[in-house]
Amino acid sequence: MDYAKMRAIAEDLGAYAERLEGAWSVEIGPSGPILAMMCPSKRHAGTIRRICKQLDEQLLATHPGYICASGPEIEHPALGRMRLPDAVVIPEAVLDEEGLAVDATQVLAAVEIVMPSSPDNDYVEKLDDYPAMGIAHYMIVDPRSGTIEVHSEPCKGRYTRKDPYIYGDAVPFGPWTVDTSAFRRYGKAGN
């Protein structure tokens, strides 16, 4: 199926999802359009907020005009992919444009916080899609284990570098650093 047809289906699914209770996401993965219910926890949302806040502060110096945003879908029509990262580094101006998704060529970095119900989405599918989309930096934060992976140096549709970290580390992420000392694990009261 060509991307235009998949995109039309995704838009129909998005319109349908707006009438449903709860929070839903629409993505286009290797198998085509996907409608999934999102059930992020407060810790999931808190981690996204901490990352966005830290990157926003640093982007003022490294990439004026860029922000770390939670929510916009990104797409690469030539690959036939549309994804909804937990956070992306993009030019702020693209949020004022018409349309459903941000062109992946404008994305400097993507961040995913692993959901307990679907870790393969972040560790397998998006790890395949993001470098193929040309996204230079990809961070996977896993509150299940308190670990972080930073993927970089895309070449021929794959990241050639993977750097592992644990909660509490100051994590280099492209030209930025993410302090993970306030990150909390799932199911851990004091952590």
Side-chain angles (χ1 to χ4, degrees):
M1 181 182 307
D2 72 3
Y3 185 73
K5 289 179 183 175
M6 287 192 290
R7 180 69 189 286
I9 293 169
E11 288 181 19
D12 289 345
L13 286 172
Y16 174 73
E18 288 178 8
R19 299 188 305 267
L20 299 173
E21 288 187 33
W24 296 83
S25 72
V26 177
E27 296 183 328
I28 300 173
S31 303
I34 305 160
L35 175 64
M37 184 171 199
M38 300 185 318
C39 301
S41 68
K42 292 184 286 184
R43 289 199 173 169
H44 184 273
T47 302
I48 295 167
R49 178 68 193 120
R50 285 180 179 95
I51 292 169
C52 287
K53 185 177 178 185
Q54 289 183 47
L55 292 179
D56 279 342
E57 291 170 358
Q58 296 171 62
L59 286 163
L60 292 171
T62 64
H63 294 83
Y66 280 74
I67 61 167
C68 184
S70 177
E73 293 177 328
I74 59 173
E75 73 177 333
H76 194 295
L79 289 176
R81 298 289 188 275
M82 183 171 70
R83 291 297 191 172
L84 179 62
D86 287 319
V88 288
V89 175
I90 54 174
E92 186 170 20
V94 302
L95 296 177
D96 293 327
E97 297 172 355
E98 287 291 326
L100 178 66
V102 174
D103 185 320
T105 62
Q106 297 187 50
V107 177
L108 298 182
V111 177
E112 296 290 355
I113 314 304
V114 176
M115 299 283 287
S117 61
S118 57
D120 283 353
N121 192 34
D122 300 325
Y123 282 113
V124 178
E125 294 174 21
K126 291 182 179 181
L127 188 56
D128 285 343
D129 287 348
Y130 290 160
M133 290 174 143
I135 297 171
H137 308 284
Y138 175 34
M139 179 186 291
I140 304 172
V141 179
D142 195 336
R144 299 170 314 156
S145 59
T147 58
I148 300 106
E149 290 183 2
V150 174
H151 298 268
S152 59
E153 301 177 12
C155 180
K156 297 181 182 177
R158 297 270 184 247
Y159 289 115
T160 60
R161 183 172 178 162
K162 172 182 145 183
D163 296 302
Y165 300 93
I166 60 170
Y167 278 24
D169 288 344
V171 176
F173 184 46
W176 317 290
T177 301
V178 176
D179 176 5
T180 66
S181 62
F183 288 12
R184 300 292 175 250
R185 292 179 61 182
Y186 296 143
K188 303 285 183 183
N191 294 328

